[in-house]
Amino acid sequence: MRHWFVSVLVLAGLLGACGPKDSGGENAVVIKAAEGGVVEAGGAKLTIPPGVLSRDSRVSLELKAKPSEPQDNPLRAAGPQVGLDLGGASLNAPATLELPTDPTSPEGSVVVLETVANPEPDGPRLWVHAATPVGAGSAGVSGQTVPAKVAYAVRRVGLYTAYVVPRPKPQEGGVRSLQVPFYYQAGLPWCTPTSLSMVINYHRPQPALASNPKSPGGFASNYGLASLIKQSPSSGAGAGSILKAAGVPEGAYSYLRWDAELVPSDNTSGGSNAFTAYVAIATTGFFGLFPAKPVWTASDRLWHAFVLTGVTKDGVYVADSNARPDTDWNGTHPSMTWKAFRDANCTLKDPSDPTKGCADSGDPNKPDLETIVFLNEPKPEAERRGSIELSHGETVYFGGVGFPFPASLIFRNPSNQVISRWKWDGAYPNGYYFNDEATTLPTFPYGRNLVQDNEFRYLIYRSSRMEASFNVVNVTDVALDFEVEARLYVAGAMKAQRFANVSVEAYDLEPLDLDFGNLAGAVGTVGGPTPARLELNLRQGGALQDVKHIAFKLAPDPADLPKVRILVPSAPTTLLKGEPFTFRGEGFDAHTLPDGRARLAWFEGATPLGNGGQYTLTPSAAGSRTLTLVATGEYGLQAAASVSVNVIDPTRTPGEIVIVEPKNGAEYWSPDINQPMVDVPLVGYATYSNGAAVPGERLVWTAQAQGGTEVEVGRGSSLNVRLVGGRNYKLPYTIRLTVLSDSGQPIGSKTVTITAGYTYVG
């Protein structure tokens, strides 16, 4: 493995320590802060203006040997390393450091490479600065002869070296993008782990990742990387912290910070083209001499990370985890001109004069760029043709508008209602969790449906239907056929398998849905929380392209029974032969979505009568009848309630008015707390003086609460009404049955007295 900047990294912590010295050696001068001063050593020169040094101090310069870099490093050392030590003081403003250069250095863009003595936490140690030519050959900054010296406005102690980025010849420019796997950040501020997973999976597996189950076979995922630093779905992250947490050593990659002013308006003229040349050399491998590498890039100004995958005649190919292949690529890999790239990533010193370049002072708070190039070998081309693009199931809000993103894994109950969606969150051990969809339903009265779990937030019931939905991305410039294999493992054993073939056009994607059906048949019985895992494997021409694992836990199906009750009649009741009466009941199940209502069915003995919350019975004969209401829960458990009624065939007496129900003195109480409405059955009949039965439409029922007004509540021989009960007391009611004549005039009535009440809890 080649290690770019090995010598620089080693010396970063050894300023002023051992190592070969240039012929100029070391020089130290005591400088008074108020007066300023100059320190020179072997061609290097530091000029500190008056008032810039924080206090009087001994300031030293030390020359070290010119670094030797591997041949495939796009940056070539152009002079000795120069260590700057301020003796414990600091600089209140920039001082000028002149660095000597080697006249034998290759032509190109000259920059100053700073090894920061105290880098930002998990930030790059190496900082690439724009250099100002000093002396003969100053045209070297634009790619001609290297100047005799270069100057840089230093701000802190550190190790400084003149470097050259060799200038590519025009005919050597790249012509197409590298085949870098594409992944989607799906609206979350997860550009860093998503783009890092792109470049990591371009290369052969990193040993630290290959041994981590969060990156199976060394294949990284954004959620797996986010979990290493517990990145929330609403926060960003730094690349250094992720790689450190992953155990990837610093020697496995080159991590640089670039002054934004190094990005030119084009790649042929005008200002420094160091960054352009660096990207061109890295993404072409010195134009075929070495393996080509993508350049991971982060922009301070955009607060965004992306991957540079090649150069065009006047710009660069960009793989952006926010730009979709099917909507933004349009069959060609996205690219942008260098001018557009600079406009997006730098703040102009003078907005009215772009030729003055970008505002930059080397201040970490100013807009800059960071890059990472991994040093391990790329995978063979045949293993970098496609990728699996997943998405979380969250709704992300932009400007107050919600944008729902589909979940790549969802679970449904036996009734096909969604019960859980896969969601990304690095705070969970695997970088994701599964929600309880019931908690999002305002109509669900039980709060939760699923069983809670520390690792995944919720467990998935065994009798759930599993659906995987994802996109297959083609990152090549030709149409290809891909093969997908999906495996379900439960307790370490493979329980189910699905296969699919999909054709994808060049630089495009195709959606794929895999339905595993109800898992109960494949899984069998589970005695408690049981680990499970969905494995997705993507192949092209038999070569493995990508691997994604999504773990979860299965739980036994719920064992709690549904609840059921018959509301009307709530107690044994007398009915009339030939007169319809409507029975009403309800059932609840803590696992039936969306409203917790169980499936209901009415029976008389083993004979089914009807389904639903109501059933109307018209008795054809006198006698005792028992009706049963059965509630069935989502997972098949049942509960039942019964009520008996006595059917009579009354012997009619002319002029008689009879109230069968309610009985005089009956007491009714609401079955629900804080529910004031009380069900009361009304059953009665009457006979005209000539012996004819009074039809139902001439039987008028009224109710009058104590101290209230008498109101009509219904007409007929058999009905049910709802009366307002007394709050925590029995409110007396007078129930009256009035008989009307043929002309609609009342000709007689009868009354009974009852009470109605309910329990109130404030």
Side-chain angles (χ1 to χ4, degrees):
M1 178 184 295
R2 298 178 177 86
H3 297 275
W4 298 350
F5 311 116
V6 170
S7 57
V8 177
L9 287 171
V10 171
L11 289 170
L14 301 176
L15 297 181
C18 61
K21 297 184 179 180
D22 188 82
S23 58
E26 179 181 10
N27 188 24
V29 176
V30 175
I31 295 180
K32 294 184 178 181
E35 299 175 2
V38 175
V39 183
E40 295 186 76
K45 179 180 179 181
L46 175 68
T47 303
I48 302 178
V52 168
L53 197 62
S54 63
R55 60 176 174 81
D56 296 350
S57 183
R58 182 177 182 272
V59 179
S60 65
L61 292 179
E62 181 182 9
L63 267 68
K64 301 177 183 293
K66 174 182 175 181
S68 176
E69 304 293 350
Q71 288 185 318
D72 60 346
N73 184 354
L75 282 175
R76 301 296 181 87
Q81 297 169 332
V82 178
L84 167 61
D85 188 351
L86 298 174
S90 60
L91 297 173
N92 300 321
T96 300
L97 176 64
E98 297 179 17
L99 300 172
T101 62
D102 184 344
T104 64
S105 300
E107 295 181 356
S109 301
V110 182
V111 295
V112 172
L113 185 68
E114 174 189 2
T115 302
V116 182
N118 296 299
E120 299 174 36
D122 302 319
R125 296 178 181 274
L126 304 176
W127 198 324
V128 185
H129 301 291
T132 301
V134 177
S138 62
V141 172
S142 61
Q144 305 302 317
T145 306
V146 174
K149 285 186 178 183
V150 293
Y152 171 65
V154 296
R155 294 162 182 80
R156 54 193 156 260
V157 299
L159 190 64
Y160 297 87
T161 311
Y163 268 77
V164 173
V165 184
R167 184 177 186 182
K169 296 179 180 179
Q171 65 268 24
E172 292 179 324
V175 295
R176 67 182 179 89
S177 168
L178 297 176
Q179 294 171 195
V180 178
F182 177 83
Y183 303 112
Y184 187 36
Q185 67 188 78
L188 300 185
W190 277 20
C191 55
T192 297
T194 307
S195 54
L196 274 178
S197 63
M198 294 184 193
V199 292
I200 288 173
N201 291 348
Y202 174 90
H203 296 81
R204 294 189 184 277
Q206 292 281 347
L209 291 174
S211 61
N212 191 328
K214 295 181 180 181
S215 47
F219 285 92
S221 63
N222 59 354
Y223 50 86
L225 295 179
S227 72
L228 299 175
I229 59 169
K230 302 185 183 304
Q231 183 180 355
S232 80
S234 59
S235 68
S241 60
I242 291 177
L243 294 176
K244 181 179 179 180
V248 179
E250 288 188 37
Y253 55 92
S254 171
Y255 192 8
L256 303 175
R257 186 179 183 99
W258 297 74
D259 290 349
E261 60 188 309
L262 290 171
V263 182
S265 59
D266 56 54
N267 66 343
T268 58
S269 63
S272 171
N273 62 357
F275 186 83
T276 304
Y278 182 86
V279 173
I281 292 172
T283 57
T284 60
F286 271 98
F287 305 95
L289 293 177
F290 305 102
K293 308 284 186 69
V295 180
W296 178 89
T297 307
S299 168
D300 283 347
R301 188 167 191 258
L302 297 178
W303 203 62
H304 190 44
F306 41 87
V307 183
L308 304 182
T309 61
V311 292
T312 67
K313 182 176 63 175
D314 60 353
V316 62
Y317 288 108
V318 182
D320 182 353
S321 55
N322 257 340
R324 308 298 304 287
D326 61 334
T327 56
D328 301 295
W329 290 19
N330 297 319
T332 59
H333 198 288
S335 63
M336 62 194 312
T337 65
W338 282 118
K339 182 181 185 305
F341 185 88
R342 185 181 75 162
D343 291 345
N345 290 285
C346 85
T347 302
L348 295 176
K349 294 177 181 177
D350 183 350
S352 62
D353 185 2
T355 62
K356 293 181 180 179
C358 304
D360 193 285
S361 62
D363 186 336
N365 297 319
K366 298 290 184 178
D368 285 315
L369 296 171
E370 293 181 4
T371 62
I372 292 177
V373 174
F374 285 90
L375 308 181
N376 53 325
E377 293 292 315
K379 293 176 181 175
E381 181 278 332
E383 298 177 13
R384 293 184 283 102
R385 296 175 178 174
S387 55
I388 298 172
E389 181 198 272
L390 303 176
S391 174
H392 59 82
E394 197 63 77
T395 296
V396 181
Y397 289 85
F398 301 97
V401 179
F403 294 85
F405 289 84
S408 286
L409 189 62
I410 65 172
F411 293 93
R412 299 178 182 270
N413 61 20
S415 298
N416 210 36
Q417 293 276 348
V418 174
I419 61 171
S420 184
R421 301 177 193 270
W422 184 55
K423 294 177 179 286
W424 296 346
D425 188 338
Y428 286 83
N430 298 284
Y432 52 82
Y433 67 93
F434 292 89
N435 80 325
D436 183 349
E437 196 71 8
T439 63
T440 70
L441 301 174
T443 56
F444 190 72
Y446 296 100
R448 288 197 304 267
N449 166 35
L450 302 177
V451 180
Q452 290 183 296
D453 177 72
N454 290 332
E455 184 177 6
F456 297 103
R457 186 181 287 191
Y458 289 102
L459 306 178
I460 306 300
Y461 292 130
R462 176 190 70 102
S463 295
S464 298
R465 174 182 166 189
M466 185 173 78
E467 297 175 357
S469 302
F470 51 91
N471 295 320
V472 175
V473 182
N474 179 359
V475 296
T476 77
D477 58 357
V478 295
L480 292 174
D481 295 327
F482 292 88
E483 307 89 42
V484 175
E485 178 192 18
R487 297 180 176 183
L488 171 65
Y489 286 85
V490 178
M494 190 173 73
K495 296 293 186 178
Q497 200 171 14
R498 297 289 185 272
F499 295 94
N501 297 312
V502 58
S503 298
V504 188
E505 295 298 318
Y507 297 125
D508 205 346
L509 61 76
E510 283 294 330
L512 195 60
D513 299 318
L514 298 177
D515 189 348
F516 280 76
N518 192 300
L519 299 180
V523 171
T525 302
V526 295
T530 303
R533 181 178 71 253
L534 173 66
E535 293 188 0
L536 300 174
N537 300 290
L538 178 68
R539 291 181 172 84
Q540 199 286 315
L544 186 64
Q545 305 291 315
D546 203 0
V547 175
K548 292 290 179 285
H549 286 187
I550 303 176
F552 54 97
K553 286 181 185 176
L554 292 174
D557 290 340
D560 47 323
L561 296 175
K563 295 178 172 57
V564 62
R565 61 187 179 183
I566 296 175
L567 300 173
V568 178
S570 58
T573 300
T574 301
L575 304 182
L576 300 177
K577 173 187 172 183
E579 294 292 338
F581 183 85
T582 299
F583 292 75
R584 185 165 61 86
E586 61 185 5
F588 297 93
D589 175 50
H591 308 287
T592 298
L593 305 184
D595 54 9
R597 295 280 179 173
R599 298 191 301 274
L600 298 175
W602 295 89
F603 292 84
E604 186 169 15
T607 303
L609 301 177
N611 298 322
Q614 294 188 157
Y615 174 71
T616 300
L617 173 69
T618 303
S620 59
S624 178
R625 307 281 294 270
T626 299
L627 271 66
T628 300
L629 179 61
V630 176
T632 302
E634 182 61 45
Y635 294 89
L637 298 178
Q638 293 183 326
S642 298
V643 66
S644 296
V645 295
N646 181 39
V647 181
I648 62 172
D649 185 5
T651 301
R652 295 180 178 272
T653 301
E656 182 182 38
I657 301 174
V658 178
I659 296 178
V660 179
E661 296 288 349
K663 302 290 191 298
N664 192 47
E667 298 178 350
Y668 295 88
W669 199 263
S670 173
D672 295 317
I673 294 175
N674 295 341
Q675 172 52 265
M677 304 307 295
V678 183
D679 288 292
V680 177
L682 303 179
V683 180
Y685 62 93
T687 308
Y688 286 125
S689 58
N690 61 3
V694 178
E697 64 269 16
R698 296 179 190 169
L699 296 174
V700 180
W701 295 89
T702 60
Q704 182 177 13
Q706 186 179 58
T709 302
E710 185 175 10
V711 295
E712 182 178 332
V713 293
R715 298 190 180 198
S717 298
S718 180
L719 64 152
N720 181 78
V721 296
R722 308 193 79 191
L723 303 179
V724 177
R727 179 189 290 189
N728 295 324
Y729 74 96
K730 300 173 182 178
L731 175 63
Y733 273 91
T734 298
I735 303 297
R736 182 185 303 275
L737 175 58
T738 300
V739 177
L740 302 181
S741 66
D742 291 346
S743 61
Q745 299 301 312
I747 57 175
S749 67
K750 189 171 184 178
T751 62
V752 294
T753 300
I754 65 169
T755 62
Y758 74 100
T759 301
Y760 174 80
V761 178

